[in-house]
Amino acid sequence: MMDMGAWAEASVFARPAFGVAHADAAPQTGFRRRCPWALALAFVVAAAGCQSKSGASDVLDPAAIAAPASQAGSITTTAPAQLTASSAAAPKGNLTLGSGPTKITMLLPLSASGSAGEDGRKMYDAAKLAMTDLGDKLLTLTIEDTRGDSGYAKDLAVKAITSGGAKAIIGPDELAAAQHLAKLSGTQRPPVLALADNFAGGPGVYSVRLSEADSAAAGAAAVAGKGAKKFVLLVPAGSNAGAIEARVGNALSIYGAALAVTLPYSASDGAKVVSDMGSLVEAPDAVIVASGDGSPMPVLAALKAKGIPGKAVTLIGTDRWLERPIDPLYEGAYIATLDQSETGPIADRFKATYNYQPDVNVAYAYDMVALSAGIASSAGPNGFSKQVLENASGFRGSTGLFRFRADGSSQRSMPFFRIEKGKLKLVEKQTSGF
């Protein structure tokens, strides 16, 4: 197997992700080089199913599609500024933005306490900016406050689904509410673009955020693409274990690689699961460690004692590791995740408008409003169909290239990193696992 340290300096993949972005294309370093109107057109073109032969990435070239200077300048002067997302009072009651013919309902925890409320208000600011950029004449966006209450969020979502007015629902952010919606039957209901973290998705209820299954699968595919064949998956026991195993297995099969064994573990048996791995698998090429809601540290400590990672065995982590400070035990591991230094083509204007730095919550909310505007523009109010939302070419947004699957999960093409000296070092500009 190729030495992974040498690979860190190797050239990028040659295979495109969903056939739209080639590694040898001119790089776009930083989302801020792209403009929101180019983003909107990418959504429109993909949704309409009329991509050019060279793919959706071409329409994002700001040299080919430039925003009118008068429009670009107006955004930062007409929107109100605020110091931080948390310093502003939560908006009261239902809020309506835009005057377009396509009605969209957005459910956010605007008045929730703590980080949930902060995130909700960030996403509200993102929705306002997306409407200013793209949606004012296309959408009527009604934003309702879930208060961070899963039961109330569920009731609001069911009302929006059954009222017959909304063509799509963006949200909720509460996991239990999203899981409830995924269990509902009915083929005529509007699609739900759920913003809940760690949500697996369901038919017609799409998971917007990057999942651990997707991160693990993309990381595994990147390593398999360099020649690794035998993989071990260590995954927390629980309801998500099967989904992660299935996604990783499917990603590996593209490259003729496979999981030699999947070993579920609990928080207290990190050393035991690594010992079991050693007795069950001889000379694996790579070990994937999913962490779920817990810390990967016990497993990583046990692997370190076995010399993993090393020249013979690659260690693959997931985006969930990065919810904690990077520990020395992370050193040498590879992770496929969103680039946290790039918050989207809206980054500079968002900060100028609201006077705080956008994060991934902003990017997800902006993208879903932008996607809704793109579909409304290209296909009209009745264009929110499974065929459009689940088209294989996918969409390009602030968080990169993504597509929705029939089971409600999302797939993303994302950068691939190696942890070196406590920091993420870019290895590949995007993975190619699908």
Side-chain angles (χ1 to χ4, degrees):
M1 178 182 175
M2 178 179 180
D3 178 74
M4 302 307 291
W7 174 35
E9 306 300 330
S11 60
V12 296
F13 287 110
R15 180 178 175 181
F18 352 145
V20 292
H22 294 267
D24 56 356
Q28 298 192 19
T29 307
F31 291 105
R32 64 192 61 182
R33 293 191 184 178
R34 304 175 196 139
C35 62
W37 294 269
L39 172 66
L41 186 54
F43 280 132
V44 170
V45 170
C50 56
Q51 288 175 254
S52 66
K53 289 182 180 179
S54 55
S57 60
D58 290 348
V59 304
L60 290 170
D61 182 359
I65 303 173
S70 60
Q71 287 181 310
S74 67
I75 296 171
T76 59
T77 58
T78 58
Q82 61 188 57
L83 293 178
T84 65
S86 58
S87 68
K92 303 295 184 182
N94 294 346
L95 306 159
T96 300
L97 303 174
S99 58
T102 301
K103 295 181 180 180
I104 305 292
T105 296
M106 190 172 195
L107 306 176
L108 298 175
L110 298 175
S111 63
S113 61
S115 61
E118 280 198 40
D119 291 345
R121 293 186 286 277
K122 289 176 184 177
M123 289 188 280
Y124 171 65
D125 285 344
K128 287 191 297 182
L129 189 60
M131 289 296 289
T132 299
D133 287 351
L134 313 168
D136 271 347
K137 303 301 181 184
L138 293 166
L139 308 177
T140 295
L141 181 67
T142 300
I143 301 176
E144 300 189 25
D145 180 13
T146 66
R147 308 190 297 237
D149 183 318
S150 292
Y152 186 55
K154 177 201 70 177
D155 293 342
L156 288 177
V158 171
K159 181 180 178 181
I161 288 171
T162 57
S163 66
K167 298 301 181 181
I169 290 88
I170 302 174
D173 183 65
E174 294 80 5
L175 178 58
Q179 290 172 331
H180 176 84
L181 298 178
K183 297 176 183 177
L184 299 178
S185 60
T187 57
Q188 301 304 313
R189 66 188 184 189
V192 176
L193 305 173
L195 295 168
D197 198 13
N198 302 318
F199 173 55
V205 184
Y206 302 99
S207 176
V208 171
R209 294 177 181 266
L210 172 64
S211 70
E212 185 166 37
D214 196 30
S215 176
V223 174
K226 291 297 180 181
K229 296 299 181 184
K230 187 190 295 186
F231 288 72
V232 172
L233 172 62
L234 306 182
V235 60
S239 58
N240 288 332
I244 295 174
E245 180 181 29
R247 289 291 302 280
V248 170
N250 288 339
L252 292 177
S253 67
I254 297 172
Y255 299 93
L259 284 172
V261 67
T262 297
L263 296 174
Y265 67 91
S266 64
S268 61
D269 64 0
K272 181 179 183 301
V273 74
V274 172
S275 176
D276 291 343
M277 179 191 77
S279 63
L280 292 170
V281 183
E282 183 179 353
D285 294 320
V287 177
I288 308 158
V289 179
S291 60
D293 295 329
S295 170
M297 299 302 292
V299 171
L300 297 184
L303 288 171
K304 186 71 173 179
K306 297 282 188 182
I308 299 172
K311 289 186 176 181
V313 185
T314 301
L315 177 62
I316 303 168
T318 75
D319 65 305
R320 297 299 301 273
W321 288 23
L322 303 178
E323 294 175 2
R324 294 170 169 79
I326 293 179
D327 187 271
L329 286 173
Y330 290 16
E331 187 73 11
Y334 291 83
I335 296 178
T337 188
L338 303 178
D339 190 338
Q340 299 299 315
S341 69
E342 297 182 341
T343 54
I346 48 106
D348 288 342
R349 291 184 303 86
F350 186 95
K351 186 174 182 180
T353 301
Y354 300 112
N355 202 26
Y356 68 92
Q357 190 67 35
D359 63 9
V360 72
N361 295 291
V362 167
Y364 284 132
Y366 187 100
D367 281 358
M368 291 306 103
V369 175
L371 174 59
S372 299
I375 293 175
S377 176
S378 64
N382 296 318
F384 292 78
S385 66
K386 285 174 61 66
Q387 181 181 7
V388 169
L389 285 165
E390 296 172 13
N391 85 84
S393 296
F395 311 97
R396 184 168 200 152
S398 303
T399 54
L401 295 161
F402 67 94
R403 64 179 178 180
F404 294 121
R405 305 172 72 210
D407 63 0
S409 63
S410 61
Q411 290 179 288
R412 293 182 175 274
S413 174
M414 67 200 89
F416 192 53
F417 300 89
R418 186 175 189 265
I419 297 176
E420 295 183 8
K421 298 179 180 179
K423 296 181 180 180
L424 293 173
K425 180 180 179 181
L426 182 65
V427 176
E428 305 289 358
K429 293 181 179 179
Q430 66 180 21
T431 57
S432 56
F434 45 89

